[in-house]
């Protein structure tokens, strides 16, 4: 099964959206295999957003990401990386499709309530940045045969 990282940003906590966001991912059929509240230190912000270090908006982005704790979560599912990006929606909240999490709940570009792994940015490495192996749980979820058909599961562990 594919794994993907989700970070609920400070605006999600401040706007009381954490429960709703978790609920949307759960209802979609994604399996939560890790979750915790953390503060993101300078090193992690720079590593996580390294493509933007040096951009005008980076200092604002850093300040925003450190303005309160965040809730980080690892989700698992068949092709989970692309499925989670699809229901998260486009980066700029006010341009994201209605029905997506950002499209329904966000207006901003920085304040877009979620970080989710990008397939081009090594999701496995990203998960390792925030979670140790013993913070990720391998457990049987009893509804899997109602979420996927057997042929979708046969190549999966
Ligand atoms: P996504 O989060 O949709 O994968 P990116 O990887 O392009 O988007 O950007 C990472 C994060 O950096 C965005 O979620 C947003 O918080 C911030 N960001 C990107 N572009 C801008 C911008 N022009 N101004 C302010 N913040 C930005």
């Amino acid at each position: 099964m594919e794994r993907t990282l989700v970070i609920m940003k400070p605006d999600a906590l401040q706007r009381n959206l954490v429960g709703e966001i978790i609920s949307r991912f759960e209802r979609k059929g994604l399996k939560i295999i890790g979750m915790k509240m953390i503060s993101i230190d300078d090193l992690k912000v720079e590593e996580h957003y390294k493509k933007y270090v040096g951009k005008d908006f980076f200092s604002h982005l850093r300040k925003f990401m450190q303005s309160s704790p965040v809730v980080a979560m690892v989700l698992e599912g068949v092709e989970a990386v692309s499925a989670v990006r699809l229901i998260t929606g486009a980066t700029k909240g006010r341009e994201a499709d209605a029905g997506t999490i950002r499209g329904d709940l966000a207006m901003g570009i920085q304040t877009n309530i979620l970080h989710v792994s990008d397939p081009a940015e090594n999701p496995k490495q990203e998960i390792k940045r925030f979670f140790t192996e013993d913070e990720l749980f391998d457990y049987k979820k009893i509804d899997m045969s109602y979420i996927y058909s057997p042929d979708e599961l046969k190549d999966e562990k």
Side-chain angles (χ1 to χ4, degrees):
M1 289 264 174
E2 214 168 71
R3 293 175 170 187
T4 191
L5 176 74
V6 172
I7 298 176
M8 286 168 259
K9 297 183 180 182
D11 52 335
L13 274 83
Q14 298 295 341
R15 295 181 53 215
N16 311 310
L17 295 172
V18 170
E20 156 128 22
I21 294 166
I22 295 171
S23 176
R24 284 193 181 212
F25 287 125
E26 279 188 304
R27 283 187 287 146
K28 176 73 172 167
L30 289 147
K31 179 178 172 185
I32 301 170
I33 61 160
M35 184 156 60
K36 61 181 176 179
M37 181 178 263
I38 53 170
S39 295
I40 302 189
D41 63 22
D42 281 355
L43 214 68
K44 280 219 163 69
V45 177
E46 280 168 24
E47 205 185 321
H48 192 64
Y49 288 126
K50 61 175 172 295
K51 66 180 177 186
Y52 292 139
V53 174
K55 289 261 183 215
D56 292 346
F57 62 81
F58 182 73
S59 60
H60 294 285
L61 182 59
R62 181 211 298 268
K63 200 166 165 209
F64 167 61
M65 290 302 288
Q66 296 180 333
S67 63
S68 84
V70 298
V71 177
M73 182 162 76
V74 179
L75 298 175
E76 193 176 77
V78 175
E79 294 170 19
V81 175
S82 57
V84 165
R85 281 194 79 78
L86 198 64
I87 60 171
T88 294
T91 306
K92 194 188 280 185
R94 57 189 177 273
E95 289 178 1
D97 287 342
T100 64
I101 296 173
R102 286 173 174 162
D104 289 351
L105 304 173
M107 284 294 282
I109 180 162
Q110 176 181 268
T111 46
N112 58 5
I113 63 177
L114 285 179
H115 164 80
V116 300
S117 293
D118 183 331
E121 286 171 31
N122 198 343
K124 282 190 185 139
Q125 196 180 313
E126 220 178 38
I127 291 169
K128 274 198 189 143
R129 187 175 302 142
F130 294 99
F131 286 84
T132 59
E133 262 313 309
D134 62 2
E135 290 173 325
L136 299 174
F137 295 84
D138 187 10
Y139 64 98
K140 187 173 168 57
K141 195 156 177 294
I142 58 170
D143 57 5
M144 295 301 269
S145 61
Y146 290 91
I147 293 172
Y148 302 104
S149 60
D151 59 313
E152 288 173 302
L153 289 174
K154 77 174 186 304
D155 297 329
E156 308 288 332
K157 188 181 132 305

